[in-house]
Amino acid sequence: MARNFACLVTKNFAYWRKQTLLQQLFQRFCRNSASWRGMPKLAAVNVFSTPFRKYQAAVCTELKKPLLIQDIPASPLKPNEVRVDIHCCGVNLGDILSCQGQYPEWPPLPFIPGMEFAGYVTETGTSVVSVKQGDRVLGFSPQKAMAEECVIDHKFLWQVPQDVSFREAAALPVSYGTAIAALHHRACTQPGDTVLVTAGAGAAGLAALDIASNVLGAKVITAAGSDEKCQLTLQRGAVASINYRTQSIKEEVKKLTAKKGVNVVFDAVGGDIFMDAVSSLCWEGRVVIVGFAGGLIPSLPTNLLLLKNIAAVGVYWGGYPDENFTTFSDTICSAIRYCQEGKIKPYIGGVYALHEVSQVSPQDASVPSQS
């Protein structure tokens, strides 16, 4: 799973191929059964989608307790659904918080966490035409992806090109979707802009750094909580990095921008860090609020917005599927295209097997990892 968590669960391709061949043989037998010795045609019951077959998943049965690996009965497909054999699953901070009962929207117990995944299509519903068996796909689901397979509505799947690995694909939807929605769609970041990214070494921060510098043509200053994290962001393309535990964001930004300030702030921390970042904006600057990793939700004095003509906007990427699916899908399609073109490259901080997922900490989940 990827650390943001991009935590990746790798799968055995040989197993998937064997399963696919068995399905083909079964379907061929059903088609030919009508003429076999004059017998009536057999019903094409797919044994691969019946409760008799099971798969393994990491299940949250009790909040704040380790996830349990359990056998889950396979469910039959609805006409609009697709079954995906999951090879990699991104682990997000939201997954960790959900399992601790600290996320705004966490499902009733028991549940299977996991929001983003990549793998092969193994079966499609009768009305599905967008994907077919054997296609490489990535998907987004509010839960249930931390498993060997997932059944999902076809509209939440996107084709993955051959030159994009499953590890990269599974790290794209949440972090890069958020970064693209925030910097391109909401902040309208322009080439030559200077962007300040707080929590710069986190999954969303690293994605924002990648998008701003390598896609939108902006200069990026990051802020992080340790010298090690600052160094990581510099290696990933930041022009400068501020350790906000030992330095003042306001003062350092003044030095780095010749007192002009930054055009855009991408803030995932909140609290005092947010206030310092807003104070570092230039005339007609834009601040995009994407989260409160620091645990404190700040109160924004509106006179700061007025005096500099500052715009403050929020980005809750998870709300787009219901409110504006076109924009939601566009962010994922763009992330896939940028990755295929080599403009971006997700940072994978760790890879874990499915049974190791409980070893992932909230700190790990703040940087891309995968299972």
Side-chain angles (χ1 to χ4, degrees):
M1 300 182 177
R3 244 173 58 195
N4 157 359
F5 217 19
C7 178
L8 287 179
V9 175
T10 56
K11 290 279 292 183
N12 188 325
F13 176 77
Y15 168 79
W16 171 82
R17 183 63 180 165
K18 178 181 178 182
Q19 185 186 72
T20 302
L21 291 173
L22 288 172
Q23 286 178 292
Q24 293 173 348
L25 290 172
F26 174 79
Q27 293 166 354
R28 185 179 303 172
F29 173 77
C30 290
R31 287 196 300 267
N32 296 335
S33 61
S35 58
W36 185 56
R37 294 186 180 180
M39 295 180 63
K41 190 171 183 177
L42 297 176
V45 179
N46 190 340
V47 296
F48 292 93
S49 61
T50 66
F52 298 107
R53 189 178 62 80
K54 295 184 178 182
Y55 64 93
Q56 288 195 323
V59 183
C60 180
T61 58
E62 186 177 353
L63 297 179
K64 300 181 181 180
K65 297 293 183 181
L67 301 180
L68 302 180
I69 304 301
Q70 295 184 348
D71 290 330
I72 308 296
S75 58
L77 295 185
K78 296 177 182 178
N80 63 318
E81 290 182 331
V82 175
R83 191 182 313 278
V84 178
D85 185 64
I86 298 177
H87 283 236
C88 297
C89 168
V91 181
N92 292 273
L93 183 58
D95 298 316
I96 306 298
L97 295 179
S98 293
C99 294
Q100 295 176 345
Q102 297 175 353
Y103 200 64
E105 300 176 3
W106 53 277
L109 296 171
F111 66 91
I112 302 170
M115 291 187 267
E116 52 189 358
F117 60 91
Y120 288 101
V121 172
T122 58
E123 186 183 2
T124 60
T126 55
S127 65
V128 176
V129 296
S130 56
V131 295
K132 63 183 183 303
Q133 188 180 81
D135 281 353
R136 304 172 80 248
V137 295
L138 68 77
F140 172 80
S141 174
Q143 54 176 301
K144 71 184 181 182
M146 213 171 288
E148 291 183 323
E149 70 174 51
C150 179
V151 171
I152 189 171
D153 191 305
H154 70 96
K155 74 176 185 177
F156 289 102
L157 293 175
W158 293 262
Q159 298 271 2
V160 176
Q162 288 292 335
D163 46 359
V164 176
S165 71
F166 282 146
R167 289 190 180 186
E168 292 173 320
L172 290 176
V174 177
S175 297
Y176 279 85
T178 298
I180 293 169
L183 295 173
H184 177 67
H185 179 66
R186 298 289 278 156
C188 300
T189 305
Q190 300 298 310
D193 278 354
T194 301
V195 179
L196 173 63
V197 177
T198 66
L206 288 170
L209 166 59
D210 209 0
I211 291 295
S213 60
N214 297 319
V215 175
L216 301 177
K219 296 176 291 186
V220 179
I221 301 170
T222 59
S226 71
D227 290 341
E228 181 184 11
K229 292 179 179 179
C230 288
Q231 186 60 36
L232 172 61
T233 66
L234 292 172
Q235 293 171 356
R236 299 288 294 179
V239 298
S241 190
I242 303 167
N243 183 340
Y244 52 67
R245 299 192 188 279
T246 60
Q247 298 172 295
S248 166
I249 290 180
K250 291 172 58 176
E251 295 305 317
E252 292 301 316
V253 168
K254 285 181 182 179
K255 296 177 185 177
L256 293 167
T257 63
K259 297 184 179 181
K260 293 179 181 179
V262 298
N263 304 98
V264 177
V265 167
F266 178 98
D267 181 65
V269 179
D272 294 339
I273 302 300
F274 170 81
M275 297 305 300
D276 286 346
V278 171
S279 299
S280 301
L281 282 165
C282 67
W283 175 260
E284 291 192 339
R286 293 89 73 196
V287 55
V288 188
I289 304 159
V290 299
F292 311 102
L296 296 177
I297 299 176
S299 296
L300 178 59
T302 53
N303 65 309
L304 290 179
L305 307 183
L306 176 65
L307 295 176
K308 287 187 178 181
N309 278 17
I310 290 171
V313 297
V315 172
Y316 173 43
W317 184 77
Y320 277 105
D322 294 329
E323 301 296 335
N324 188 338
F325 187 84
T326 299
T327 296
F328 170 76
S329 183
D330 284 347
T331 63
I332 296 180
C333 290
S334 296
I336 295 171
R337 185 175 71 255
Y338 298 149
C339 191
Q340 183 183 22
E341 294 171 349
K343 292 182 178 179
I344 61 173
K345 187 170 183 60
Y347 176 77
I348 307 300
V351 179
Y352 304 81
L354 180 62
H355 68 275
E356 298 173 329
V357 66
S358 291
Q359 299 176 16
V360 180
S361 68
Q363 290 73 29
D364 289 331
S366 66
V367 183
S369 309
Q370 301 183 339
S371 70

